[in-house]
C-alpha cells in the first residue's frame, strides 16, 4: 500500500482532472507490462480505476465527475491524501485457474437453442456441484469485447437471500423456489464502455441459459433496471465492490413445468443487404 499527498488538478486543455503519482507505478507495483489497475482512497472517498502512463515513468490517476463530487472538489488545484494499491478484484499477475469436473450435455447446441424456454417453476431437486460448475464455466466461455473478460458471477444459494430477492421484485417471484440464483455482474474498471460491458454480461447470461437447458436444468433470466430499487438492494445486500455492476439475475433449478414449444422462424424479420 502506497500513501502519499498530491494535488488534484486539470490538464492544460481543461479536459482531464487528475492526480500525478510521485513514483513509477510499474516499478513500485512490479507490473512488467499492460494496464495497471489500482484501488484505494482519496481522502475518505474510495476509488477503483486504472493508471494512465505519461511516459518516462510518470503516471496519472484520472478522476471522473462522480469521484470528484464524492471527494468534494470545488476548485483546482486541491491537495489530498491518497492511499493506493493494486486492485484486488483485478490481478492479471495471479489469475485463479483450477481444473474442474464438468458434466456432459444431454442436448446438442442447435436443439438447445431452438427448444430453450423460460422456466419459472422448479422442483426441490438440488443441482450438484459438477452440473453447476459446468453452467458457470459456460458463462465464462462467452465472448467479450477486446477479450477484457469483465464478467463475475455471484451465486446465491441461501434460502433467506433468495426469498428476499423474490419479495423485492414482483417479476422475480420464482427465485423463492429456485435451487440458486446467479447474479451476472460486470466490472466497469475492466470495461469502461457501458454498451460493451452490458453486451459482455448478456452474452454470458445467454450461455448460462443454453448450457442449463442442455443439461436438463431450468432457468429464467431476470433483468435489472438501471437505478432501480432492486439493483440498489443487490449491491447493498451482497456487498458488491465499487464499479462492479449487477446486470442480470438467473434463477436455476430442475423444471417443474414444460412450456409449450413454438416455431420462432419469421421471414419478415430477416433482411438481406438492406431493410
Amino acid at each position: 500500500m502506497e500513501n502519499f499527498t498530491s494535488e488534484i488538478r486539470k490538464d492544460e486543455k481543461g479536459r482531464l482532472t487528475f492526480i500525478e503519482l510521485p513514483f513509477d507505478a510499474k516499478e513500485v507495483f512490479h507490473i512488467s507490462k499492460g494496464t495497471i489497475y489500482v484501488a484505494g482512497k482519496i481522502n475518505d472517498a474510495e476509488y477503483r480505476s486504472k493508471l494512465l502512463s505519461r511516459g518516462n515513468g510518470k503516471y496519472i490517476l484520472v478522476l471522473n465527475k462522480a469521484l470528484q463530487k464524492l471527494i468534494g472538489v470545488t476548485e483546482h488545484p486541491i491537495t489530498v491524501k491518497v492511499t493506493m494499491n493494486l486492485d484486488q478484484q483485478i490481478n492479471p499477475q495471479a489469475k485463479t485457474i483450477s481444473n474442474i469436473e464438468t458434466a456432459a450435455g444431454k442436448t446438442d447446441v442447435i436443439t438447445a437453442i431452438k427448444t430453450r424456454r423460460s422456466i419459472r417453476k422448479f422442483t426441490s431437486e438440488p443441482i450438484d456441484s459438477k452440473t453447476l460448475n459446468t453452467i458457470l464455466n459456460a458463462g465464462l466461455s462467452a465472448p467479450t469485447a477486446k477479450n477484457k473478460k469483465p464478467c463475475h458471477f455471484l451465486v446465491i444459494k441461501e434460502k433467506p437471500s433468495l426469498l428476499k430477492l423474490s419479495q423485492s421484485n414482483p417479476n422475480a417471484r420464482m427465485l423463492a423456489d429456485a435451487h440458486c440464483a446467479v447474479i451476472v455482474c460486470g466490472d466497469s474498471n475492466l470495461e469502461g464502455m457501458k454498451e460493451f460491458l452490458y453486451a459482455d454480461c448478456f452474452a454470458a447470461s445467454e450461455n448460462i441459459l443454453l448450457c442449463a437447458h442442455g443439461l436438463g436444468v431450468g432457468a429464467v433470466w431476470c433483468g435489472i433496471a438501471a437505478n432501480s430499487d432492486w439493483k440498489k438492494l443487490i449491491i447493498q445486500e451482497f456487498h458488491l465492490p465499487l464499479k462492479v455492476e449487477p446486470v442480470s439475475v438467473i434463477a436455476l433449478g430442475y423444471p417443474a413445468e414444460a412450456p409449450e414449444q413454438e416455431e420462432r422462424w419469421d421471414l419478415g424479420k430477416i433482411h438481406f443487404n438492406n431493410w
Side-chain angles (χ1 to χ4, degrees):
M1 176 76 74
E2 297 298 314
N3 298 274
F4 58 93
T5 300
S6 188
E7 286 188 341
I8 296 177
R9 61 179 189 269
K10 283 187 174 293
D11 63 4
E12 295 178 355
K13 296 182 179 180
R15 295 177 180 174
L16 295 180
T17 300
F18 66 95
I19 290 172
E20 184 172 334
L21 277 58
F23 55 83
D24 185 336
K26 185 178 290 186
E27 291 184 359
V28 169
F29 294 126
H30 308 292
I31 302 294
S32 59
K33 61 180 180 179
T35 305
I36 303 176
Y37 296 93
V38 293
K41 287 187 177 182
I42 300 174
N43 288 345
D44 293 322
E46 292 186 7
Y47 71 87
R48 291 181 66 225
S49 190
K50 58 186 177 182
L51 301 178
L52 296 183
S53 173
R54 287 290 181 91
N56 298 320
K58 293 184 178 180
Y59 288 84
I60 63 172
L61 174 68
V62 176
L63 283 62
N64 60 24
K65 291 182 179 179
L67 182 55
Q68 292 177 54
K69 183 177 180 180
L70 197 61
I71 298 168
V73 178
T74 56
E75 58 183 16
H76 302 88
I78 177 175
T79 301
V80 291
K81 294 181 179 179
V82 183
T83 62
M84 181 177 292
N85 205 346
L86 287 177
D87 188 343
Q88 298 304 308
Q89 299 297 321
I90 308 170
N91 188 352
Q93 305 301 313
K95 292 183 179 180
T96 303
I97 300 176
S98 60
N99 293 321
I100 62 167
E101 187 179 4
T102 58
K106 300 177 181 179
T107 309
D108 69 89
V109 65
I110 301 300
T111 301
I113 291 171
K114 291 183 64 177
T115 61
R116 190 213 66 82
R117 295 293 181 269
S118 294
I119 300 298
R120 295 179 173 83
K121 295 180 181 179
F122 305 102
T123 70
S124 59
E125 182 182 354
I127 301 173
D128 62 76
S129 59
K130 183 167 71 172
T131 300
L132 182 57
N133 285 338
T134 304
I135 293 170
L136 297 173
N137 189 47
L140 291 174
S141 300
T144 62
K146 298 181 180 179
N147 202 32
K148 289 186 177 180
K149 302 183 180 73
C151 299
H152 289 256
F153 305 143
L154 177 59
V155 182
I156 308 300
K157 291 185 176 181
E158 293 78 9
K159 286 300 178 181
S161 295
L162 291 170
L163 188 60
K164 190 168 187 177
L165 283 173
S166 71
Q167 292 175 338
S168 55
N169 183 350
N171 296 315
R173 288 191 293 267
M174 78 294 293
L175 288 169
D177 297 319
H179 169 78
C180 68
V182 177
I183 303 177
V184 179
C185 305
D187 189 341
S188 63
N189 205 28
L190 269 175
E191 177 51 79
M193 291 188 66
K194 289 285 188 180
E195 297 88 346
F196 290 169
L197 183 74
Y198 295 153
D200 292 347
C201 289
F202 294 155
S205 298
E206 180 69 0
N207 268 25
I208 288 172
L209 294 173
L210 290 173
C211 181
H213 180 60
L215 293 169
V217 176
V220 62
W221 175 341
C222 302
I224 302 176
N227 301 318
S228 65
D229 291 337
W230 204 46
K231 180 176 181 178
K232 294 173 184 176
L233 181 144
I234 290 170
I235 292 172
Q236 295 171 1
E237 183 74 14
F238 303 111
H239 311 290
L240 268 61
L242 191 67
K243 288 196 172 185
V244 172
E245 182 175 354
V247 175
S248 65
V249 178
I250 299 173
L252 292 174
Y254 283 100
E257 62 176 342
E260 182 179 350
Q261 298 295 319
E262 61 177 320
E263 178 57 59
R264 296 192 175 185
W265 174 256
D266 185 350
L267 190 58
K269 294 184 178 179
I270 310 298
H271 312 275
F272 294 97
N273 299 325
N274 58 60
W275 197 272

